[in-house]
Each structure stands twice: as C-alpha cells, then as structure tokens.
Amino acid sequence: MVFDRRPDDMVRITTTELANQFIADQVAALREQVKDKKVLLALSGGVDSSVVAALLIKAIGQQLVCVHVNHGLLRKGEPEQVIEVFRNQMNANLIYVDATDRFLDKLKDVTDPETKRKIIGGEFIEVFAEEARKLDGIEFLAQGTIWPDILESEHGIKAHHNAGGLPEDMKFELVEPVKILFKDEVRVVGKALGLPDNMVFRQPFPGPGLGVRCPGAITRDRLEAVRESDAILREEFAKNGLEGKVWQYFTVVPDFKSTGVKDGKRSFEWSVIIRAVNTSDAMTAEVENIPFALMQHLVKRITSEVKGVNRVLYDFTPKPTGTIEFE
Ligand code: XMP
C-alpha cells in the first residue's frame, strides 16, 4: 500500500524487514507513476536525496537523471563520494557540475549571513535549472521531502524548503517517495537499499554548507582551512567512538588573525574554533564534554596539518545563547 499522507496508525519503520516492505511498495508505485518517462533529481549527497535516488534507481534505473551541483562549500570527500556511490557503484545517470568558481565569485566580499544564504540558494537553483534545460523529455521532479517538512509547512513553522523554487516556466510533476517517513525511518530504508553508513547516518549539514562556517566574507584560504580542519575533526571523532554519539560537530574559521610562534618564528594566522553539541530537536543544545587528551591531540593535528592556522579554540556555549552554527 502507498499513502499520500502518513496514516495515524502506521508502524514506525525500525527493521530491515519493514524497510524492505516499504521499498517494494514504493518501487511498484514509482513505476506506476513514472511509466517510461524521465525523472530529474537534485542529488546533494545528504540522507534524504540519497535515499530518494537509491529508490528511484531501483525502480526506474536510467530513466532517473541525477544532478549533483558542487557549490564549493561541501565537506572534504563529499562530491567524490556521490560520484563513487551513485555513478560507479549504482550505475546511475549522474551529471556532476563543479560550480565552485561561480559560487565563490558571487559570494566575494559578501559579509551578511542572510545575504550569503540567499546567494547560495538562488545560485543553486540557477545552476540546476540550467542543467535541466539542457535535457529533453523530463516530466517529473523528484524531491527528498520527509514527513516533518510537510507537518512544519502545514503549521506555518517554515516554508516547505523542498517545494521547487524553480523558474515559473519549468513545470514538473513531483515525485516524493519518502514524504510519509520520519528521518530515522529514512535512514533505515537507506541502509536497506545498500547505501554506506557514512551517508545514511551522517550528522546534519546546512544547505549553505561550509559557507556559514566561514563567518563574514568567504575567502578561499579560510574555506580550505575549514574543510581540512573539519576532515581532521571527523576522522578523530570516528577513531575515538564519538561519531555516532555526538549530534553535530564541526569547525569554524572566523575572519581574524592572531599572533603565534611557528618554527621559532612569529606567525600571524587564522584560528580554528571547534564546536560539538548534542540536541534532540536543534532548538536547544548542550556542549559535548570532549576528553582533554583528545582536545590536545586535535590542537596538535590542526595546527600542524592545516595551512595558515596557529590557534585552536573550543566553543563552550550552549544554545541558547549561541546558535549551533555561527551565522
Ligand atoms: P542553528 O544554527 O540555528 O542551527 O542553531 C540549527 C540546525 O539547523 C542547521 N542549519 C541549517 N540548515 N540551512 C539548513 O539546511 C541553513 O541555512 C541552516 N542554518 C542552520 C544547523 O546546522 C543545525 O543543525
């Protein structure tokens, strides 16, 4: 059975067995809806769009066209993983667009956080629409809408963030195969579809990506420092058993330099701030108590491996008063 809304008595999908049943039902429903037509999907590599892609690949194979836009603000290894998993392993029809220069040029000298978000969101839609226009015969647009998105938009909490934003003349019928699922169910379904754990159980990552972790105007050197320090933090959290335990953890490189000493010489370089928080709904958050020895190890690795960084700080601020992201 396939539903348009989540039935009140729907059993929570917690097991592979329940996930397989959901997958079988959805595959049949997708084939019925799409028939021999083509479906377009913006594949970010996040949990929801990845699960939608895997479901559609199972249902309609090459009739799905995935577009992965790299806005230059993704974490280290993410675009490569999208290509490896979807193009190489699942044989998906994947268009990869490296739009890094385009985004960074538009963001040059822009300091206001909301303006940065608007530029990133707007440019994303433009790049995606440009790719869509190059394709013939697309009739459907797939989206990773989930049940909380629908509830929140019905209750006026937030605009339904997935609902298009594409130019007026681009009209597609929507395909939303995970729209009655809660996030934890999407993960169980993703695992049953064979997606890797680090894709299915990944921590939340904001749409504007590392752009909001480079406060003020984004520069390429600070962006690189954010990306490299974030990769070290993720690697160390995984090694030390904190990966599945801490809700969200990342680094920020603010736009000030401070004096330090490196190789016996004065250095004037950036600082990396580490943030690691736990929460259930992201409305409030508590700071993780990172073991001091791990902290010292992180400081050592970041200051010696990340170019242009001479200082590491830890953010002890819960939410409130600090938000989880810095801007
Ligand atoms: P804040 O910083 O408001 O973050 O405490 C709460 C949660 O939302 C994420 N976040 C975003 N997600 N687009 C997103 O898709 C955004 O612009 C955005 N800003 C914050 C943040 O990472 C945290 O999980």
Side-chain angles (χ1 to χ4, degrees):
M1 283 284 276
V2 169
F3 300 96
D4 203 42
R5 294 185 62 80
R6 186 181 180 96
D8 289 338
D9 59 353
M10 180 170 154
V11 178
R12 196 90 166 194
I13 299 173
T14 51
T15 62
T16 311
E17 210 174 26
L18 288 168
N20 285 337
Q21 186 58 54
F22 175 85
I23 293 164
D25 290 346
Q26 281 302 328
V27 165
L30 286 166
R31 287 181 183 152
E32 166 101 19
Q33 183 187 6
V34 173
K35 300 198 171 68
D36 60 350
K37 303 293 191 296
K38 284 191 199 161
V39 181
L40 183 66
L41 170 72
L43 176 59
S44 67
V47 184
D48 304 336
S49 68
S50 295
V51 172
V52 167
L55 265 174
L56 278 156
I57 290 164
K58 200 173 172 76
I60 58 165
Q62 295 287 309
Q63 285 162 252
L64 172 72
V65 184
C66 302
V67 178
H68 179 60
V69 177
N70 179 0
H71 53 26
L73 305 166
L74 296 170
R75 287 173 290 199
K76 188 171 181 174
E78 280 187 332
E80 293 82 358
Q81 188 184 29
V82 168
I83 292 171
E84 172 57 28
V85 169
F86 291 99
R87 185 184 282 163
N88 300 349
Q89 294 174 19
M90 294 193 167
N91 195 28
N93 194 350
L94 172 73
I95 298 169
Y96 170 68
V97 189
D98 183 354
T100 302
D101 289 340
R102 202 170 145 165
F103 277 82
L104 295 188
D105 287 351
K106 277 241 157 132
L107 287 162
K108 194 167 181 281
D109 301 327
V110 179
T111 55
D112 176 60
E114 292 315 308
T115 311
K116 284 165 70 176
R117 277 193 170 77
K118 274 201 192 112
I119 291 174
I120 296 165
E123 196 62 15
F124 186 90
I125 290 186
E126 244 174 64
V127 174
F128 184 65
E130 275 173 28
E131 292 304 319
R133 282 188 212 286
K134 291 183 199 162
L135 302 165
D136 283 329
I138 305 277
E139 293 198 10
F140 296 90
L141 180 70
Q143 295 190 331
T145 312
I146 63 172
W147 187 235
D149 296 332
I150 293 183
L151 291 182
E152 285 180 353
S153 59
E154 281 175 356
H155 295 142
I157 296 169
K158 66 177 178 195
H160 184 352
H161 68 277
N162 285 322
L166 283 172
E168 280 288 299
D169 64 307
M170 300 189 78
K171 294 240 183 306
F172 300 110
E173 190 179 320
L174 290 183
V175 175
E176 298 178 302
V178 297
K179 74 173 174 195
I180 63 164
L181 300 189
F182 286 106
K183 192 81 177 193
D184 52 291
E185 297 178 301
V186 179
R187 296 188 206 274
V188 179
V189 169
K191 185 126 178 81
L193 283 164
L195 291 174
D197 278 5
N198 67 351
M199 201 167 237
V200 170
F201 297 105
R202 66 169 48 172
Q203 46 168 327
F205 187 61
L210 302 180
V212 291
R213 295 175 183 171
C214 225
I218 300 167
T219 56
R220 286 179 193 252
D221 61 341
R222 279 194 304 126
L223 186 57
E224 207 41 38
V226 175
R227 201 183 327 265
E228 291 300 322
S229 54
D230 171 79
I232 292 172
L233 183 69
R234 284 190 287 141
E235 188 188 321
E236 291 298 331
F237 266 39
K239 261 194 220 158
N240 290 277
L242 294 173
E243 188 178 45
K245 180 177 171 273
V246 183
W247 196 79
Q248 196 170 9
Y249 45 95
F250 54 87
T251 60
V252 175
V253 178
D255 57 351
F256 68 82
K257 287 184 176 178
S258 74
T259 303
V261 193
K262 260 191 184 174
D263 306 322
K265 282 195 291 248
R266 179 184 181 278
S267 72
F268 190 59
E269 295 178 309
W270 305 117
S271 295
V272 164
I273 301 175
I274 297 174
R275 184 121 174 95
V277 296
N278 292 305
T279 175
S280 52
D281 57 6
M283 300 297 286
T284 62
E286 294 82 45
V287 176
E288 172 71 16
N289 186 357
I290 301 183
F292 193 68
L294 174 57
M295 207 53 123
Q296 286 176 308
H297 182 61
L298 283 166
V299 173
K300 199 167 187 178
R301 277 200 67 187
I302 291 171
T303 51
S304 61
E305 293 174 38
V306 182
K307 207 168 151 244
V309 170
N310 65 0
R311 198 178 285 274
V312 178
L313 311 166
Y314 189 49
D315 184 358
F316 278 99
T317 320
K319 176 181 179 178
T321 53
T323 48
I324 294 176
E325 303 289 347
F326 266 49
E327 58 174 30

